Amino acid sequence: GQNIDQPTEMTATEGAIVQINCTYQTSGFNGLFWYQQHAGEAPTFLSYNVLDGLEEKGRFSSFLSRSKGYSYLLLKELQMKDSASYLCAEGSGAGSYQLTFGKGTKLSVIP
Amino acid sequence: GAVVSQHPSRVICKSGTSVKIECRSLDFQATTMFWYRQFPKQSLMLMATSNEGSKATYEQGVEKDKFLINHASLTLSTLTVTSAHPEDSSFYICSARWAGENEKLFFGSGTQLSVL
């Protein structure tokens, strides 16, 4: 099965930039997802990468290197509301889109 | 974007009782829905894949007789936790894939189950 690794916790300052890394080891790769999850709530979709390179969406960007089994989520101009867990997830199973999630990175944004 | 509604949001029940959780796709048809479970500080773990009109596919280690899944229509899937015990206390989340945005899963708001 998949083995998805990401840091457990990170702390960053309001207004700064933070990069959350994710590595995965798998076959049957079908896309790399990033979700944001606030405590007690369901995850919300942030990004999806299936090809190598950087995808930018406003303050959030996501990068993928398939050959290295590596992705990162980049958050710019951090705001206090960005404090949440960020889940790296790998898609597999063509047609059914099953996701395997990492344990999540708890990001704390401090003033 | 698509909306997935999950109900109830919170359940507290006695050990031995059964609890039903509903997951509805409000503005799209979902032939496939997924049920996840999340323990505190743990990742979301896929429990089963719910297919409309057929039996659910359960992940290894998930008891199909304990976690009954019914997907009777294209907009509704239910998860029933039968004879719940304290170790079943967890956050249960459903999700559905919308063909209109093929790469996304849309999640329900989750159900926090506490078994006393």
Side-chain angles (χ1 to χ4, degrees), chain A residues 10-75:
Chain A
M10 298 182 72
T11 301
T13 306
E14 190 176 13
I17 299 173
V18 70
Q19 177 175 312
I20 303 174
N21 297 322
C22 171
T23 59
Y24 61 92
Q25 301 172 358
T26 187
S27 59
F29 174 78
N30 202 2
L32 196 290
F33 298 75
W34 284 95
Y35 282 83
Q36 179 192 61
Q37 186 180 26
H38 287 96
E41 298 181 9
T44 55
F45 173 84
L46 290 178
S47 68
Y48 166 71
N49 294 69
V50 67
L51 299 176
D52 291 349
L54 185 68
E55 296 275 345
E56 297 186 72
K57 284 185 180 180
R59 294 192 298 117
F60 292 3
S61 302
S62 57
F63 172 84
L64 176 68
S65 170
R66 288 173 295 172
S67 62
K68 295 181 179 179
Y70 168 69
S71 173
Y72 68 72
L73 180 69
L74 191 70
L75 293 78

Side-chain angles (χ1 to χ4, degrees), chain A residues 33 37 42 45 95-96 98 102, chain B residues 34 38 43 49 97 103-104 108:
Chain A
F33 298 75
Q37 186 180 26
F45 173 84
S96 63
Q98 296 182 344
Chain B
F34 305 92
Q38 186 177 34
S43 64
T49 301
R97 177 168 159 257
E103 69 277 12
K104 289 185 183 179

